[in-house]
Amino acid sequence: MSEYIPSTSGWVADQVELYERTNGAEGVTLRETGLPCIIVTNTGNKTGAIRKTPLMRVADGGNYVLVASRGGAPTHPVWYHNLRANPDVQIRDVDLVHNMRVREVTDSTERSRLWEIAVEAFPPYSDYQAKTNRTIPVFIAEPV
Ligand code: F42
């Protein structure tokens, strides 16, 4: 069984700890925004370690839309590489944990539909895309 290595970003690791320890009673929202988050448990593509990545909760029916925005940074978050290498993830949404499989959305029609849903759920995504010339990757997570 691989070990869990917490995010090197302290507030992120703290949110994961609070969210999981309280089974979603606390730690579900993105700080003062009050907007809901999920936790994506994924596998390190280099270490094979368990990684836990909070993301904004963007639901599309029974699926989740995962947006590799990283605040509009010039490079993708490294969990992007994890998901491409190991598409089997677990997604915690409050007190439910789902086994899901992710795929990167490459079809432009599908992507614009999902991007619209994502920006609706979390408007800053639009600002993040405006501030970087990398195309922010979008994954869809579907139940297995
Ligand atoms: N990030 C987003 O991109 N989108 C969101 O919607 C989002 C929402 C959100 C809500 C709450 C919250 O607390 C955080 C939120 N974040 C969101 C931030 C997100 O959780 C991540 O912290 C952020 O996207 C950066 O992801 P990252 O995977 O680049 O994390 C860094 C900080 C990290 O943990 N790096 C580790 C390190 O040691 O530097 C390595 C982690 C890792 O996965 N390593 C891989 C391995 O094999 O173990 C190798 C990766 C490689 O290929 O180098």
Side-chain angles (χ1 to χ4, degrees):
M1 177 68 173
S2 330
E3 57 156 342
Y4 165 49
I5 308 179
S7 168
T8 46
S9 162
W11 65 280
V12 170
D14 291 348
Q15 174 155 19
V16 168
E17 195 280 330
L18 180 62
Y19 199 140
E20 290 194 327
R21 176 165 49 79
T22 66
N23 195 30
E26 291 175 68
V28 177
T29 57
L30 174 65
R31 299 192 289 196
E32 61 288 336
T33 66
L35 294 173
C37 304
I38 55 172
I39 296 179
V40 182
T41 297
N42 57 99
T43 306
N45 75 91
K46 291 188 179 129
T47 62
I50 295 168
R51 299 292 189 167
K52 298 187 181 201
T53 307
L55 297 176
M56 298 320 294
R57 181 185 187 279
V58 180
D60 177 38
N63 300 334
Y64 292 93
V65 183
L66 313 179
V67 178
S69 50
R70 196 178 176 197
T75 55
H76 298 332
V78 296
W79 60 263
Y80 167 79
H81 305 294
N82 295 349
L83 264 53
R84 280 168 57 98
N86 302 292
D88 292 318
V89 302
Q90 287 196 322
I91 292 188
R92 170 182 277 277
D93 187 356
V94 188
D95 58 347
L96 294 177
V97 178
H98 310 280
N99 291 317
M100 304 200 103
R101 182 157 301 146
V102 304
R103 61 179 169 83
E104 189 172 0
V105 177
T106 50
D107 172 78
S108 55
T109 312
E110 185 183 21
R111 187 199 144 89
S112 28
R113 183 181 76 80
L114 295 172
W115 184 255
E116 217 176 292
I117 293 169
V119 171
E120 173 77 25
F122 188 62
Y125 281 143
S126 172
D127 311 326
Y128 297 161
Q129 182 58 81
K131 77 184 239 198
T132 178
N133 49 27
R134 79 179 162 99
T135 301
I136 292 179
V138 170
F139 292 87
I140 188 96
E142 297 160 302
V144 289

